[in-house]
Amino acid sequence: MTAFEKLRQTWPLLLIAGAFLTSPAAGSAQNIPLIGGEQQADSTTGITDRSRTIQSIPLDQAPRRLESDTERLREIQRDVQRYRGLERTRSEVAEILQGTSAILDNLDHLSVADMRASDLSRFRQSLERQKDRLEARTSSLERRLVTLEREQLELTRIQRQWELTRDSISADTMSTSAFETGIDRMLARVDSTSAGLDSLLLEFLDIGESVAGVGVRLDTALDAIREAQATKRRMLLVPDSPPIWRLAAVLNSDDHPILGDVAAYLAGDARAFRDSLPADRTRVLLHLLIFLLALGSFLWLSRKSDTWSEAEELAAIRHIVSRPYSAAALTALLATNWVYPHPSFLVLDVALILTLIPVSRLLPPLVLEERKSSLYGLFALFLASRLTVLLPPESLAERLAFLCLAIAAATWSALLLRSLRDGEGTLVQGRWHAVLVGALRIGLVLSVLAVLLNLAGWVDLSDVLIQGLIPAGYVAIVLTLAAMMLVGITRALAAGPTLNRSKAFQENRDRIVRLASGAIRALAILVWLWSAFALFGLDQELVGQLRGILTHEFSIGAVDISIGGVLLFLLILWLATWLGRIVRTVLRDDVLAGLSIPPGQADAWSTLAQWAILLAGILFAAASAGIGGGQLAVLAGALGVGIGFGLQNIVNNFVSGFILIFEQPIKAGDKVEVSSLGLLGEVRRIGIRSSTIRTFDGADVVVPNSNLIQSEVVNWTLSDSKRRFQVEVGVKYGTDPQRVIDLLLEVAAEHPRVLKYPTPTALFMGFGDSSLNFRLNIWSATFEDFFALRSEVNVLVN
């Protein structure tokens, strides 16, 4: 049972309580229905417990109880004061009720049984959205009501207990009057608090009365719409009009007049628009704000476009931002359905028709010249399909209009397919060309089918096909343009200087742009699929089928799992993995790098942050999938068994990774030599399972972390980056050894990159077979200078 339904069931009881609260004796404990004599009501359930009685407070406990009850009264008063700020809740509920009433009033003037399937779907979507919003607000009211009811029962208990205590003191002539004075003050505080609480409950009851009335109408309307939709779905396969070739029967049909009462039908649309204005007029400023923000953004991009490169991939967005007013208008018009929670269908249709203006200015210049006529033809078909909805339903004029639309759509599809087959240019390239051809073939088949169904008398089914097909094609064009705008803006911003100040972004720019572009296109496809189902009136069935599939549960041992839970689990894990990678890269390359932290420590902290996010994602994913603590223990036990049998190496590498991160015998950027592998290179990354070492030959070697812990590793840059090297020299016998030593030290002193400290040393190493052997020991400042510096010193020595 939803919170909305629970609250609606609570209102009748609360209305009775409200009638009692407004009675003159509302503040008296003897008149409260939930308290009888000295019986106490349970503060949690509100059910009277006859086995417990309220007794007077012993005099030796009275001071302590007086203090505790006084503090309890203060808490209740704070709750009353906090809940008294109902202006926002009242205004939100009033806005929802006003919008819902506008939709219901409009629906009351129409015959649900005679409405089009598309109109029924729109009414149902609007009412269900209003019901969801109302449920969200009433669930908060329900929680507040439960709290206030408990506190009212608590006040009753306090009041009754102190009254009994006062009566017992009055009967005891030995008691002092000081107790009576304190009790009187306590009872006065109870009366004051109770009055405020009663007033607050009355405010809740006023809101609840309004919600209850609209809620009944809302449920009744939804039931009627669902029944009408089910009936129309059943009747789609039943002929509803005479075949067109039976001209006499068509013209003389009483159920299908030639034109119908156009004025009355248009008056109904105007009335629906007028009824929706009071509920939506406050959203006009929000819509204007969206347009101004979009306009400011596109004007800024237009000025920045002069600094963009001349790359072909930026040509589309450069054209779009050159028309900022059209781009901003399209953005604002696409937001109409989101801005206005309960607009009339006339508003939605007009907004959709108005998108033709910016689309016709933005899109044609981006299309090949030989394809512009096809694009304008689709625009004309869409405009005609929107205007035909102004004709009265079930009229002959409407039937003929949709027949002409179906013929025009079939002709347009056939001509475009023929031109594509003849190779006269193309609208799109690559795999999307095959998708376009397939979509046009489906459109041609559906259009021809709509023509045949209309001629044979299945008019409703023909209308559903053509009224879904043409707008779906136009929506595809609009979403394609919107995706082009977003992808182009993404590429332009990625090429600009602002984002490239980040080292993390610079190194991953191409990958980020590729992923963002793919996500935008995927989102556009999903939105189009949903819109197409909605246009064909299949969105509710799709939602029902998906809900049934996703909520279906199956058991694996003690764990109950649903398909939706598994998908949600995988989605959260995927998001946590990507978020962890992003946080690690940004922390390492931008945040920690700017804090003068050594590269090794920055890499360690960023890695820990990544794994902390991943661990939090795993726990959150498990909770979202309905896996409790006990079930996690079962999975952990199974994982422990698996580790014991076959995952020892993985766990060994995992633990070794944490040792490397915390102990840091090697860090990212260190120059190391792994003796067991004969490997010399630079540590590029230390992961949890493995690390990457890039050799000086340019190869990236992935080394399990356990090898770096268990093997001897020479770290040339652990404490500092200086490197000592030797130059071996042999001279012939008879040469003055001191002269050779002086020359070697002179060479070391003259080279600018040889460190003066530690001091270079030249040594006479001994007598060789054919030479006197000398060694020059010198130091380079960095390990990277080692090879080049040794070569240069060798040249100078020679």
Side-chain angles (χ1 to χ4, degrees):
M1 183 181 296
T2 64
F4 176 61
E5 293 168 342
K6 291 179 181 177
L7 193 60
R8 282 181 45 208
Q9 292 180 0
T10 309
W11 293 133
L13 297 177
L14 295 177
L15 289 173
I16 297 173
F20 161 74
L21 290 172
T22 55
S23 64
S28 175
Q30 289 85 347
N31 294 325
I32 295 179
L34 296 177
I35 302 295
E38 296 181 353
Q39 298 164 355
Q40 183 178 7
D42 187 278
S43 62
T44 302
T45 62
I47 300 175
T48 302
D49 185 358
R50 298 182 180 272
S51 64
R52 294 185 295 175
T53 58
I54 300 178
Q55 298 178 353
S56 62
I57 301 171
L59 294 182
D60 59 340
Q61 300 178 12
R64 188 174 70 252
R65 289 292 302 277
L66 191 66
E67 182 180 354
S68 64
D69 286 347
T70 301
E71 181 60 29
R72 181 68 181 117
L73 285 177
R74 291 196 186 99
E75 293 177 1
I76 296 175
Q77 289 171 350
R78 284 195 293 269
D79 287 342
V80 171
Q81 190 65 28
R82 185 171 71 253
Y83 289 166
R84 188 167 293 282
L86 294 174
E87 289 77 10
R88 180 177 178 181
T89 302
R90 188 189 295 274
S91 62
E92 289 177 348
V93 173
E95 178 192 358
I96 297 172
L97 294 178
Q98 185 180 21
T100 307
S101 298
I103 299 173
L104 293 172
D105 291 342
N106 183 21
L107 191 61
D108 289 341
H109 293 93
L110 303 173
S111 174
V112 175
D114 297 334
M115 291 174 61
R116 296 188 181 95
S118 59
D119 292 342
L120 287 174
S121 180
R122 287 181 174 183
F123 267 115
R124 181 174 174 178
Q125 291 176 5
S126 298
L127 291 177
E128 287 181 343
R129 182 167 53 183
Q130 292 299 97
K131 185 175 181 179
D132 291 340
R133 297 180 66 204
L134 202 55
E135 284 183 357
R137 300 301 184 277
T138 52
S139 61
S140 174
L141 292 178
E142 182 186 9
R143 290 192 297 270
R144 295 183 181 183
L145 275 172
V146 170
T147 302
L148 294 177
E149 287 176 347
R150 292 175 180 174
E151 292 180 342
Q152 188 182 44
L153 294 172
E154 184 72 7
L155 281 177
T156 302
R157 180 194 63 76
I158 294 173
Q159 182 182 36
R160 183 57 179 156
Q161 201 164 27
W162 284 108
E163 285 178 346
L164 293 174
T165 303
R166 184 181 59 184
D167 293 342
S168 65
I169 292 176
S170 300
D172 186 359
T173 57
M174 300 297 293
S175 301
T176 61
S177 60
F179 281 114
E180 295 185 10
T181 303
I183 292 172
D184 290 339
R185 291 176 180 172
M186 169 60 70
L187 292 174
R189 291 193 192 100
V190 171
D191 290 338
S192 175
T193 306
S194 181
L197 185 60
D198 295 345
S199 174
L200 184 59
L201 281 171
L202 286 176
E203 292 185 30
F204 276 91
L205 293 171
D206 290 340
I207 299 175
E209 187 176 3
S210 302
V211 171
V214 174
V216 173
R217 292 183 61 196
L218 194 152
D219 285 342
T220 303
L222 281 175
D223 291 340
I225 290 174
R226 293 189 183 103
E227 184 178 355
Q229 285 182 315
T231 302
K232 283 190 174 294
R233 282 194 295 270
R234 290 193 301 268
M235 299 301 293
L236 280 178
L237 301 179
V238 178
D240 51 80
S241 300
I244 200 71
W245 53 82
R246 293 172 54 189
L247 188 59
V250 171
L251 295 176
N252 297 326
S253 175
D254 295 332
D255 296 332
H256 305 283
I258 295 178
L259 187 59
D261 194 348
V262 178
Y265 184 71
L266 295 179
D269 284 343
R271 182 176 56 253
F273 174 72
R274 185 177 61 252
D275 291 341
S276 68
L277 283 180
D280 287 333
R281 64 174 179 270
T282 57
R283 296 296 185 109
V284 175
L285 292 178
L286 175 61
H287 206 177
L288 179 62
L289 179 62
I290 292 175
F291 171 75
L292 293 177
L293 289 176
L295 179 60
S297 301
F298 284 111
L299 287 173
W300 178 77
L301 288 171
S302 178
R303 290 195 299 270
K304 291 291 184 180
S305 64
D306 296 335
T307 62
W308 296 347
S309 66
E310 298 297 330
E312 184 179 354
E313 59 184 12
L314 296 180
I317 188 61
R318 192 187 302 276
H319 162 73
I320 291 173
V321 299
S322 67
R323 293 169 169 78
Y325 289 93
S326 296
L330 178 61
T331 303
L333 289 171
L334 291 178
T336 299
N337 200 23
W338 174 79
V339 173
Y340 303 103
H342 27 68
S344 68
F345 304 147
L346 183 61
V347 172
L348 295 176
D349 285 334
V350 169
L352 200 55
I353 291 174
L354 288 177
T355 58
L356 283 167
I357 300 174
V359 169
S360 61
R361 281 184 50 81
L362 294 173
L363 192 58
L366 302 176
V367 179
L368 296 175
E369 189 66 32
E370 59 269 20
R371 289 285 167 262
K372 290 184 179 180
S373 58
S374 300
L375 193 63
Y376 289 128
L378 179 60
F379 292 167
L381 283 173
F382 171 73
L383 179 61
S385 70
R386 291 297 89 192
L387 294 178
T388 52
V389 300
L390 298 177
L391 296 173
E394 308 296 333
S395 64
L396 179 59
E398 182 198 44
R399 178 180 181 178
L400 294 177
F402 282 123
L403 178 60
C404 294
L405 271 179
I407 295 173
T411 304
W412 180 85
S413 302
L415 291 176
L416 186 54
L417 274 173
R418 179 181 177 182
S419 64
L420 290 177
R421 187 173 60 250
D422 293 341
E424 299 175 5
T426 181
L427 287 171
V428 290
Q429 302 289 338
R431 63 181 182 274
W432 294 109
H433 177 72
V435 174
L436 175 63
V437 171
L440 288 173
R441 288 174 178 171
I442 294 174
L444 177 60
V445 171
L446 292 179
S447 301
V448 172
L449 182 60
V451 172
L452 297 177
L453 289 172
N454 191 304
L455 293 174
W458 281 271
V459 178
D460 285 345
L461 182 56
S462 173
D463 292 353
V464 169
L465 291 178
I466 203 64
Q467 279 293 80
L469 182 63
I470 295 176
Y474 177 73
V475 170
I477 292 294
V478 174
L479 290 177
T480 300
L481 179 59
M484 290 173 60
M485 290 170 55
L486 293 177
V487 170
I489 291 173
T490 301
R491 290 174 174 171
L493 293 177
T498 303
L499 293 178
N500 283 281
R501 295 193 184 104
S502 168
K503 181 181 177 182
F505 182 82
Q506 281 184 355
E507 294 181 350
N508 300 277
R509 178 174 55 200
D510 294 339
R511 187 179 185 184
I512 292 173
V513 171
R514 186 169 60 253
L515 289 175
S517 302
I520 291 171
R521 295 188 180 100
L523 180 62
I525 292 173
L526 290 176
V527 172
W528 179 81
L529 287 174
W530 178 260
S531 302
F533 276 102
L535 289 168
F536 282 101
L538 300 175
D539 52 330
Q540 298 300 326
E541 287 71 17
L542 178 64
V543 170
Q545 292 294 331
L546 288 177
R547 184 181 290 114
I549 294 173
L550 295 178
T551 57
H552 177 71
E553 293 187 351
F554 53 93
S555 299
I556 302 178
V559 181
D560 294 330
I561 300 177
S562 65
I563 297 177
V566 172
L567 294 178
L568 183 61
F569 181 86
L570 296 176
L571 176 62
I572 294 176
L573 279 185
W574 181 78
L575 291 176
T577 302
W578 274 103
L579 180 61
R581 292 178 181 176
I582 293 171
V583 169
R584 177 187 175 181
T585 305
V586 173
L587 278 178
R588 182 189 61 199
D589 296 340
D590 293 329
V591 178
L592 297 179
L595 299 179
S596 301
I597 295 177
Q601 294 185 14
D603 188 74
W605 284 111
S606 59
T607 301
L608 288 177
Q610 176 188 6
W611 280 88
I613 292 173
L614 183 58
L615 178 60
I618 292 173
L619 296 177
F620 186 70
S624 301
I627 302 176
Q631 295 168 332
L632 280 176
V634 173
L635 294 177
L639 182 61
V641 174
I643 291 173
F645 278 103
L647 301 178
Q648 296 97 330
N649 289 335
I650 294 178
V651 174
N652 186 11
N653 291 322
F654 185 82
V655 175
S656 299
F658 277 102
I659 294 174
L660 291 174
I661 289 174
F662 284 103
E663 187 179 331
Q664 293 190 345
I666 62 174
K667 305 181 294 295
D670 284 352
K671 311 303 185 293
V672 298
E673 183 177 353
V674 184
S675 303
S676 61
L677 301 176
L679 186 64
L680 176 64
E682 178 184 353
V683 179
R684 287 298 181 92
R685 183 188 67 88
I686 298 178
I688 294 297
R689 189 196 64 82
S690 63
S691 300
T692 303
I693 298 177
R694 185 173 181 83
T695 67
F696 296 117
D697 294 330
D700 288 326
V701 181
V702 179
V703 181
N705 287 332
S706 59
N707 286 12
L708 300 177
I709 294 295
Q710 298 171 2
S711 302
E712 295 80 7
V713 177
V714 178
N715 191 338
W716 290 96
T717 56
L718 178 60
S719 57
D720 58 55
S721 60
K722 295 193 292 289
R723 168 74 189 269
R724 193 190 78 163
F725 61 93
Q726 299 88 27
V727 175
E728 304 285 347
V729 178
V731 297
K732 67 181 180 178
Y733 277 90
T735 305
D736 183 5
Q738 188 61 43
R739 176 59 177 162
V740 174
I741 292 174
D742 292 340
L743 286 174
L744 292 177
L745 293 176
E746 182 180 348
V747 168
E750 289 178 355
H751 199 290
R753 287 190 301 174
V754 173
L755 293 181
K756 302 302 183 286
Y757 181 84
T759 306
T761 59
L763 303 174
F764 181 20
M765 302 303 297
F767 301 94
D769 293 337
S770 60
S771 65
L772 303 176
N773 296 328
F774 295 84
R775 175 186 294 171
L776 175 63
N777 296 321
I778 56 178
W779 291 80
S780 64
T782 62
F783 187 89
E784 291 81 358
D785 287 344
F786 163 65
F787 298 101
L789 184 57
R790 183 170 62 177
S791 175
E792 293 172 4
V793 171
N794 282 333
V795 171
L796 292 176
V797 169
N798 183 59

